[in-house]
């Protein structure tokens, strides 16, 4: 049978999602826990691989197994074998045609910045720090140039393995809440480092180092060298993944470690 699951993790102490021989990965930890509960080797497929230091509030996976367990038993059993920085929120059977990555219709990311002179303490490694005052009106003006379906070559990592650089950016919001600046992004899919590179461009604009039209110049250049600095991973969260209703993947109001702005 095929089982899907939704999980949450703090990426601070992981080398990223993908399994690696000499480093601690979320995939390795999750597969080890699932294999214990299933009493057989389990390999998982993920909706979106996250980089080192990137967090997830609603990551989605699927796996195939011959083990018969209740939904409750999968969640309770796996969580008892997971470290404190990873947790299953839900698990349940899905149709064999379901695919965590290819069945997805959209991804939602949240990038959060503590915008003040002093560095963070209890939010360290869970939020990006920017000491320069950020003007969100300028950031919003720059963001408008990126909405829609475009070639995002300038916003992807040079080692990105995606076959096409074209993505549809459906929403890009910038919101200030006291000392926090939040960037919320929704697209059909994302390229490697795409959200962090968008955040880097918008923060440069917000700090007054570039004009808002620079975002369009970067986009039109189709050259990663034109895109400036990649923002730190600390403040990036994969919030949720969207699927057709027929997939029957539940939606959660996910908890993020800063004041609620939703």
């Amino acid at each position: 049978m095929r089982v899907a699951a939704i999980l949450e993790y703090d990426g601070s102490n992981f080398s990223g999602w993908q399994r690696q021989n000499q480093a601690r990965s979320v995939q390795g930890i999750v597969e080890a826990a699932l294999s214990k509960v299933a009493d057989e080797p389990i390999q998982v497929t993920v909706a979106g691989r996250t980089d080192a230091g990137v967090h997830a509030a609603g990551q989605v996976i699927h796996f195939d197994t011959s083990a018969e367990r209740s939904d409750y038993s999968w969640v309770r059993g796996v969580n008892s074998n997971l470290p404190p920085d990873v947790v299953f929120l839900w698990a349940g059977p899905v149709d064999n045609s379901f695919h965590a990555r290819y069945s997805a219709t959209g991804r939602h990311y949240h990038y959060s910045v503590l915008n003040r002179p002093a560095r963070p303490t209890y939010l360290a490694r869970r939020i990006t720090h920017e000491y320069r005052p950020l003007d969100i009106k300028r950031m919003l003006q720059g963001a408008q140039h990126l909405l829609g379906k475009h070639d995002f070559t300038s916003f992807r990592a040079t080692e990105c393995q995606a076959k096409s650089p074209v993505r549809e950016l459906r929403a890009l919001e910038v919101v200030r809440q006291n000392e926090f600046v939040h960037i919320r992004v929704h697209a059909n899919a994302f390229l490697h480092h795409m959200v962090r590179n968008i955040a880097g461009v918008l923060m440069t604009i917000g700090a007054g180092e570039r004009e808002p039209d620079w975002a369009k110049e970067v986009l039109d250049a189709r050259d990663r060298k034109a895109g400036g600095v990649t923002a730190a991973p600390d403040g990036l969260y994969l919030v949720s993944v969207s699927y057709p209703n027929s997939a029957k993947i539940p939606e959660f109001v996910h908890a993020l470690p800063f004041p609620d702005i939703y």
Side-chain angles (χ1 to χ4, degrees):
M1 67 184 302
R2 178 158 292 185
V3 178
I6 300 174
L7 56 150
E8 172 184 296
Y9 52 84
D10 176 352
S12 302
N13 295 312
F14 288 101
S15 61
W17 167 267
Q18 191 169 4
R19 186 193 315 108
Q20 300 180 42
N21 292 331
Q22 304 299 325
R24 186 174 186 256
S25 69
V26 183
Q27 182 180 9
I29 293 290
V30 168
E31 288 180 342
L34 278 168
S35 297
K36 287 184 179 180
V37 176
D39 197 26
E40 64 181 11
I42 297 291
Q43 293 186 347
V44 304
T45 298
V46 70
R49 290 180 293 181
T50 51
D51 292 330
V54 176
H55 319 290
Q59 179 70 276
V60 179
I61 62 171
H62 82 255
F63 59 93
D64 295 326
T65 179
S66 61
E68 295 184 7
R69 305 285 186 271
S70 68
D71 299 357
Y72 175 83
S73 295
W74 280 120
V75 174
R76 187 66 180 268
V78 171
N79 283 342
S80 67
N81 286 283
L82 286 174
D85 44 4
V86 188
V87 69
F88 269 39
L89 303 176
W90 170 87
V94 289
D95 189 86
N96 284 341
S97 63
F98 174 83
H99 194 283
R101 179 181 176 188
Y102 296 125
S103 297
T105 58
R107 281 88 170 166
H108 303 258
Y109 277 88
H110 187 120
Y111 193 86
S112 198
V113 183
L114 180 63
N115 188 211
R116 69 182 190 189
R119 58 177 172 77
T121 53
Y122 57 88
L123 288 178
R125 305 187 74 182
R126 293 176 178 84
I127 196 167
T128 293
H129 175 232
E130 176 54 67
Y131 69 91
R132 301 170 299 178
L134 297 177
D135 184 335
I136 67 164
K137 290 183 179 179
R138 290 171 56 89
M139 296 172 72
L140 283 167
Q141 290 172 4
Q144 296 307 304
H145 295 297
L146 305 180
L147 290 171
K149 192 173 183 179
H150 302 289
D151 180 330
F152 281 96
T153 295
S154 295
F155 291 90
R156 71 169 175 173
T158 54
E159 66 271 22
C160 179
Q161 298 178 359
K163 294 181 179 179
S164 171
V166 176
R167 295 292 186 269
E168 181 188 4
L169 198 60
R170 297 168 178 168
L172 179 52
E173 301 173 299
V174 184
V175 179
R176 175 175 286 281
Q177 187 181 56
N178 301 319
E179 294 181 327
F180 295 98
V181 173
H182 304 285
I183 302 172
R184 302 185 295 203
V185 193
H186 173 212
N188 63 326
F190 289 90
L191 301 164
H192 189 195
H193 284 178
M194 181 172 163
V195 179
R196 290 169 59 187
N197 289 330
I198 288 174
V201 165
L202 294 183
M203 289 166 66
T204 299
I205 292 171
E209 294 186 3
R210 294 278 192 163
E211 293 302 312
D213 287 347
W214 180 58
K216 186 176 188 306
E217 294 176 17
V218 172
L219 182 69
D220 292 343
R222 299 182 181 181
D223 182 354
R224 176 65 201 114
K225 294 179 181 178
V229 177
T230 300
D234 304 13
L236 182 57
Y237 296 77
L238 172 58
V239 176
S240 63
V241 184
S242 300
Y243 295 93
N245 292 334
S246 58
K248 298 181 180 179
I249 303 298
E251 294 185 4
F252 290 88
V253 178
H254 297 288
L256 298 175
F258 28 75
D260 184 16
I261 63 168
Y262 289 87

